[in-house]
Amino acid sequence: MEKREDPNDEVQELLQTLEQQTNWDGSPLVKYDGFWLPALFFRSILSFQKYFKAKDSDVILTSFPKSGTTWSKALNYSIVNRNVYAIDQSPLLTCNPHALVPPLEHDLYYLQDNPDLGNIPSPRIFSSHIPFNVLPASIRESKCKIIYLCRNPLDQFISHRHFSLKNKFQNDVVPLELDEAFDRFCQGIHSSGPFWDHMLGFWNAHLKNPEKVLFLKYEDLKEDIAFHIRKIAEFLGYPFTEEEEKQGLVEQIAKLCSFENLKNLEVNRSGYVHGVVEKSSFFRKGKVGDWTNYLTPAMAERFREIMEIKFGGTGLMFKI
Ligand code: A3P
């Protein structure tokens, strides 16, 4: 993906003043509003904040990276467009979900400071990984809908590790070993971290205004996808009609968006997203609890204690 030239301007100046860290894979992170954001996307995050104007009909899919964003895109796209395309004609059969639901700071505002998004038909669906407080005011204050998807942080950590190693984003760097990377993760030093603040930002926004922010967990979707497809449709204001229920549309969407189906589609088996990310790397195992194959019981215990401290009393928790 061709990035625009970075001018020597106030964004560069601000960047120089921010605290910096290196992620376990060697990628630079900057601390902004309490979060470790990827330095690569700092300019696009600021442009997104400054220029994006949400419409009330917009749907913003937010997530912690590697929490099932691709799945969320496929599901929401199918739910919202179910009267436009029959399931067997779905654009998902020929396009990767990231091409149908464009990432805001990783794509649209990365390529241009102020892209023209006015021609995209409503309801527009976009995605973002940035924390709730860093989102443009118009997203937080308009009537647009926010759907947040998170995942057991241990599975997210392992998934992210595989994803970064496979795509070799930092070619010239030897990545940290798993135990050192885990130690940083526990300290909250990782892309979009600390994960607890990222999750709690959306969790609290959901508690405050459940009509505005839907809070989902990957594990719950895995347990009962049909229930969650109905829940998302209702939240967005497009509940399934009796006729659609009779036709089995919910089950058809679940099948279309399933890990096995998407992973095996020709369009997702080869090629790249944004020219640099292997499409196949978005579909690895798609399982709950894969972390147990990589992390020791002592690591899990340390993590359980961190979660008790960070999430205790909030109503948010993950099973270890
Ligand atoms: P694993 O690496 O554990 O397999 P994201 O889409 O946010 O980048 O997250 C990627 C994770 O979601 C990967 O997890 C990937 O396999 C999983 N995933 C992708 N599509 C999925 C789907 N349709 N259903 C369930 N999981 C999916």
Side-chain angles (χ1 to χ4, degrees):
M1 164 161 65
E2 279 290 307
K3 192 192 188 308
R4 59 205 150 99
E5 280 289 298
D6 271 352
N8 235 341
D9 58 7
E10 68 277 7
V11 177
Q12 267 320 84
E13 274 172 31
L14 172 61
L15 199 54
Q16 304 308 322
T17 66
L18 297 176
E19 199 183 335
Q20 313 238 351
Q21 272 283 359
T22 306
N23 204 358
W24 65 265
D25 64 355
S27 57
L29 301 170
V30 287
K31 199 162 203 182
Y32 182 70
D33 256 2
F35 288 93
W36 290 110
L37 304 179
L40 178 65
F41 297 114
F42 185 65
R43 178 176 293 274
S44 46
I45 289 169
L46 292 193
S47 300
F48 169 38
Q49 264 191 339
K50 183 169 171 187
Y51 295 113
F52 184 77
K53 290 282 164 285
K55 294 183 181 178
D56 286 346
S57 55
D58 285 347
V59 180
I60 313 292
L61 304 182
T62 55
S63 57
F64 201 68
K66 312 321 294 173
S67 298
T69 318
T70 315
W71 194 13
S72 173
K73 289 185 181 195
L75 289 167
N76 278 280
Y77 183 86
S78 304
I79 292 167
V80 167
N81 289 298
R82 67 186 192 268
N83 292 325
V84 183
Y85 306 105
I87 294 291
D88 61 357
Q89 300 293 317
S90 171
L92 279 168
L93 298 169
T94 48
C95 297
N96 178 270
H98 296 280
L100 298 173
V101 178
L104 286 155
E105 72 277 8
H106 284 187
D107 181 355
L108 300 171
Y109 288 87
Y110 184 77
L111 298 172
Q112 285 179 57
D113 256 342
N114 189 6
D116 181 6
L117 309 177
N119 293 332
I120 301 177
S122 293
R124 305 182 301 180
I125 316 177
F126 300 111
S127 72
S128 173
H129 287 318
I130 68 178
F132 183 77
N133 285 350
V134 183
L135 284 173
S138 75
I139 292 187
R140 285 179 282 123
E141 289 158 16
S142 72
K143 291 205 174 104
C144 79
K145 300 278 190 178
I146 299 175
I147 298 186
Y148 183 70
L149 178 61
C150 65
R151 185 181 192 184
N152 182 322
L154 294 183
D155 277 340
Q156 186 275 342
F157 168 72
I158 292 299
S159 179
H160 210 172
R161 186 157 176 93
H162 280 96
F163 182 76
S164 297
L165 292 176
K166 181 146 197 229
N167 286 294
K168 297 193 185 70
F169 293 126
Q170 306 291 323
N171 254 331
D172 45 341
V173 177
V174 180
L176 294 182
E177 293 296 329
L178 180 70
D179 55 342
E180 290 172 291
F182 182 71
D183 184 56
R184 286 183 169 233
F185 189 64
C186 290
Q187 292 177 54
I189 305 170
H190 55 95
S191 186
S192 300
F195 66 85
W196 54 83
D197 283 336
H198 199 286
M199 292 176 184
L200 286 173
F202 285 93
W203 177 245
N204 290 330
H206 157 73
L207 294 180
K208 203 166 153 198
N209 192 353
E211 308 288 306
K212 164 94 184 159
V213 183
L214 181 63
F215 191 97
L216 300 173
K217 285 183 180 165
Y218 182 92
E219 295 73 26
D220 295 340
L221 265 63
K222 274 277 181 189
E223 205 168 295
D224 191 344
I225 188 60
F227 171 83
H228 286 93
I229 289 174
R230 291 190 183 96
K231 187 168 177 172
I232 292 170
E234 267 166 41
F235 171 77
L236 293 179
Y238 307 108
F240 286 88
T241 62
E242 252 180 60
E243 192 51 40
E244 287 177 323
E245 286 285 358
K246 261 193 233 148
Q247 287 168 10
L249 203 52
V250 172
E251 289 71 21
Q252 289 173 36
I253 290 176
K255 198 167 163 206
L256 172 69
C257 301
S258 69
F259 177 77
E260 289 70 26
N261 188 53
L262 292 183
K263 181 185 171 81
N264 291 317
L265 289 174
E266 195 51 46
V267 64
N268 294 324
R269 283 159 61 136
S270 61
Y272 293 84
V273 172
H274 313 319
V276 286
V277 188
E278 280 187 46
K279 281 191 210 160
S280 62
S281 67
F282 286 101
F283 307 95
R284 192 181 62 96
K285 283 192 182 171
K287 294 242 171 344
V288 171
D290 188 40
W291 65 266
T292 53
N293 295 315
Y294 298 91
L295 305 178
T296 64
M299 285 164 145
E301 181 52 24
R302 175 180 177 194
F303 201 76
R304 202 186 48 73
E305 283 168 15
I306 291 172
M307 287 213 295
E308 260 168 32
I309 293 167
K310 300 297 180 186
F311 292 142
T314 65
L316 179 62
M317 196 42 89
F318 297 88
K319 282 188 217 135
I320 296 285

